[in-house]
Amino acid sequence: MSVLVVGSVALDDVEAPAGRVQGVLGGAACYFAVAARYFSPVRVVGVVGTDFPREHLEFLESRGIDLGGIVHAEGSTFRWGGRYLENLNERETLYTELGVFEGFRPELPRHFRDSVYVFLANIHPTLQRNVLQQAEAPVLTAMDTMNFWIESEASELELTLAAVDAIVINDEEAHQLTGIRNLVKAAEAIRERGPRIVIIKRGESGALLFDEEGIFSAPAFPLQQVQDPTGAGDSFAGGLIGALAREGSSGPEALRRAIIYGSVMASFGVERFSLDRFRDLTQDEVEQRFEEFRALTRF
Ligand code: AMP
């Protein structure tokens, strides 16, 4: 079943203890799409400028990702720069240059409107809702957000929250959204505001799922080397939604398996800079790590 993602397509500059890269492929929609494509067909809605390298589009196309919703606009592609500290848990945003992303008004091509699984990556909450209105009959809708929107667009965010089935955010965002530090209570408070499924990512501490069945906890895969945590959350969401689409279900059992697939994709993504680990990652490796997760948590 088809997955639709709306979000940033970016050129990133990243500094980390393992090295430094400039003008590499990034953006929430790209991380999400590449990860989700291991499981199901994927459609992308986003915008790039005239400076966006052709080779990045060719890479996404070579994966069979449908780029029919990418607008080519006059101007510069969204650029983001970030620097990680030694422990890799802390990140400093060096700059965010919106470029053509500033005037982005997502429009679904006609053949995208029947998308069954819809992921609204981190964009203005009003635009997120606008996308929902264009999707004709989605079975599962999920959203991300960030501190900026929580602080500056609280009432719009509230309306979007009430309109989605699921939210995938990190622990700090859950706290900001609710004012509650305890994640169990915060998740409960968010569920009361709309989404029946709340997923809270906790970086190297894994992820927590809250739904009508209760709580499920997934660890992060213990890695020997992490080069670049950028996009981990989006790769996680891609693995999660892609796996649900492959199963054609978002019931409790499917959700729990999908959380593990999300963790699998995030763990691969951070092994190298940008989306580089996905360039040679095979389907077999994905399934093998899924089994390794099973061994890791069985007792
Ligand atoms: P994450 O590590 O999950 O925060 O995702 C990082 C990716 O999101 C990078 O590739 C950035 O290009 C992109 N990004 C950073 N800031 C924003 C923003 N304000 N809006 C949309 N995308 C962003």
Side-chain angles (χ1 to χ4, degrees):
M1 277 192 234
S2 53
V3 173
L4 173 81
V5 59
V6 183
S8 59
V9 177
L11 296 173
D12 288 349
D13 298 333
V14 178
E15 291 175 41
R20 181 177 178 175
V21 291
Q22 287 191 300
V24 295
L25 177 60
C30 296
Y31 279 101
F32 179 97
V34 170
R37 186 67 189 97
Y38 281 81
F39 307 93
S40 63
V42 182
R43 301 157 168 183
V44 181
V45 173
V47 62
V48 296
T50 42
D51 56 348
F52 195 69
R54 177 80 224 149
E55 73 206 48
H56 293 335
L57 295 171
E58 283 166 2
F59 165 63
L60 298 170
E61 265 162 3
S62 73
R63 291 301 167 104
I65 294 167
D66 190 336
L67 302 182
I70 298 264
V71 173
H72 295 258
E74 204 56 47
S76 306
T77 300
F78 176 81
R79 286 194 86 109
W80 176 81
R83 181 191 292 141
Y84 292 89
L85 306 188
E86 203 56 46
N87 65 17
L88 288 172
N89 287 324
E90 286 174 72
R91 176 170 87 184
E92 190 188 338
T93 291
L94 300 175
Y95 50 86
T96 303
E97 291 170 7
L98 294 176
V100 294
F101 198 52
E102 189 163 16
F104 177 50
R105 299 288 173 273
E107 194 150 326
L108 272 54
R110 184 122 285 292
H111 75 286
F112 278 20
R113 298 194 179 191
D114 64 353
S115 299
V116 182
Y117 289 76
V118 176
F119 185 71
L120 310 165
N122 167 32
I123 57 173
H124 192 293
T126 312
L127 297 182
Q128 289 180 316
R129 241 175 22 263
N130 191 262
V131 170
L132 288 184
Q133 282 153 8
Q134 295 178 57
E136 277 158 6
V139 166
L140 185 94
T141 57
M143 67 180 282
D144 186 6
T145 192
M146 69 182 294
N147 52 3
F148 183 72
W149 305 125
I150 298 171
E151 283 159 20
S152 63
E153 293 290 348
S155 53
E156 280 300 303
L157 190 60
E158 208 56 43
L159 293 173
T160 308
L161 204 54
V164 294
D165 301 302
I167 183 166
V168 186
I169 48 175
N170 67 35
D171 41 10
E172 200 45 44
E173 289 155 355
H175 166 58
Q176 283 174 341
L177 201 52
T178 58
I180 303 171
R181 270 278 165 217
N182 180 288
L183 290 181
V184 180
K185 288 186 182 156
E188 203 173 297
I190 296 170
R191 289 190 73 227
E192 280 167 12
R193 287 153 68 178
R196 71 177 173 88
I197 300 162
V198 174
I199 294 161
I200 301 183
K201 302 166 288 180
R202 298 185 302 153
E204 62 182 3
S205 303
L208 290 171
L209 158 73
F210 302 84
D211 67 359
E212 57 271 27
E213 289 290 306
I215 308 178
F216 178 71
S217 170
F221 195 76
L223 293 168
Q224 283 203 13
Q225 204 204 359
V226 174
Q227 279 194 343
D228 177 11
T230 307
D234 306 305
S235 309
F236 174 91
L240 169 86
I241 305 290
L244 290 176
R246 183 170 75 176
E247 287 213 33
S249 162
S250 56
E253 302 247 313
L255 254 175
R256 282 149 179 77
R257 275 190 294 276
I259 294 279
I260 300 297
Y261 276 116
S263 309
V264 165
M265 300 317 285
S267 76
F268 279 120
V270 302
E271 285 181 356
R272 301 239 283 269
F273 281 95
S274 178
L275 284 87
D276 287 353
R277 181 63 181 94
F278 297 120
R279 292 180 190 268
D280 58 9
L281 179 70
T282 65
Q283 197 76 45
D284 283 350
E285 285 178 293
V286 169
E287 298 303 338
Q288 193 181 329
R289 189 162 288 182
F290 181 84
E291 291 307 321
E292 284 165 9
F293 258 99
R294 210 191 279 281
L296 193 66
T297 51
R298 186 171 44 216
F299 61 91

